[in-house]
Amino acid sequence: DFIIQASARFLGEGTDPHRKTGLMIRSGLHPDAAHVSCVVHGDGLTSLQYRPEAGSETLEVRMDIRGPGVLQLEKKGNTFTMSVAHSGELYSREEIEIPLSGELFAGIFICSHNGSVSEEALFWNVRVFGTAPDELVPYSEYIGSLLEVMDVETGRRQVLDGDTGSW
C-alpha cells in the first residue's frame, strides 16, 4: 500500500489534444499490462483510467475538474483512489476496486498519442510514501513527520529532515 504524488504540467502547446501525462501503477512492464492511471490530457480532460486485467480494454472514469496540476494516486489493498486539484484548492476524488497482483510498478508518465511526435512535461514535488493504517487513531498515534520548506512563488517543496515513524 502506498501513495504516489506529484505536481505536473505539459511544456508547449502539443500536437494532439489526447496527449497524456500523469501517474501510473502497473502490474507489469508489457504494453497491455493491467494498470490504474491518474491522467491529464492535453485538452485538460482529467480521468481515472484503468485496465482491469492484461490485454483487456482500457476504461475510464472522467472527472469534472480540467487541467489540474496536483496529482495523487493511492493504492490500499485493491482500492485505488485518484485525487487531483489545482494548486491551493481542495482535491477532487475518484475511487475504483481492481485486484492488481504480483510485482507492481509505479511512476510518472507522458504519452504523445502520436508515434512520430515527442511531447514534454515537467514534474516536481514527486513523492512515494506509505498509507496510514486503517486502525490509526489521529493525534493519539505517531506515524512520522517531515520537515520541509516550500517556495511560495513556485510551490516547489524540499524535505530537509524527517522521521518516517511506522511507515
Side-chain angles (χ1 to χ4, degrees), residues 1 8-9 17 23 34 38 44-45 48 60 62 65 74 95 100-101 114 123 141 144 149 167:
D1 293 345
R9 69 176 173 85
L23 309 172
C38 171
L45 173 68
L48 174 61
E60 77 175 347
R62 292 185 178 195
I65 186 172
E74 176 180 350
E95 189 174 279
L100 290 187
S101 60
N114 181 334
F123 291 87
E141 298 174 349
V149 292
W167 303 355

Side-chain angles (χ1 to χ4, degrees), residues 10-14 16-20 40-42 111-113 119:
F10 285 106
L11 298 176
E13 291 299 313
D16 192 318
H18 295 292
R19 66 184 176 154
K20 304 176 197 179
V40 180
H41 293 254
C111 172
S112 70
H113 235 277
E119 296 286 357

Side-chain angles (χ1 to χ4, degrees), residues 10-73:
F10 285 106
L11 298 176
E13 291 299 313
T15 59
D16 192 318
H18 295 292
R19 66 184 176 154
K20 304 176 197 179
T21 194
L23 309 172
M24 182 180 292
I25 301 171
R26 303 177 63 85
S27 65
L29 297 177
H30 49 285
D32 66 347
H35 70 87
V36 177
S37 302
C38 171
V39 178
V40 180
H41 293 254
D43 64 359
L45 173 68
T46 305
S47 60
L48 174 61
Q49 294 187 343
Y50 60 100
R51 181 180 294 131
E53 56 188 45
S56 66
E57 182 180 346
T58 297
L59 306 169
E60 77 175 347
V61 177
R62 292 185 178 195
M63 299 184 73
D64 291 335
I65 186 172
R66 299 197 52 86
V70 181
L71 315 174
Q72 181 172 292
L73 187 57

Side-chain angles (χ1 to χ4, degrees), residues 52-108:
E53 56 188 45
S56 66
E57 182 180 346
T58 297
L59 306 169
E60 77 175 347
V61 177
R62 292 185 178 195
M63 299 184 73
D64 291 335
I65 186 172
R66 299 197 52 86
V70 181
L71 315 174
Q72 181 172 292
L73 187 57
E74 176 180 350
K75 179 204 178 294
K76 197 160 192 177
N78 291 332
T79 302
F80 292 84
T81 305
M82 173 180 159
S83 302
V84 292
H86 295 286
S87 184
E89 295 182 4
L90 295 175
Y91 279 115
S92 296
R93 297 169 42 129
E94 286 292 342
E95 189 174 279
I96 58 168
E97 296 278 330
I98 293 181
L100 290 187
S101 60
E103 183 178 20
L104 298 180
F105 299 86
I108 58 177

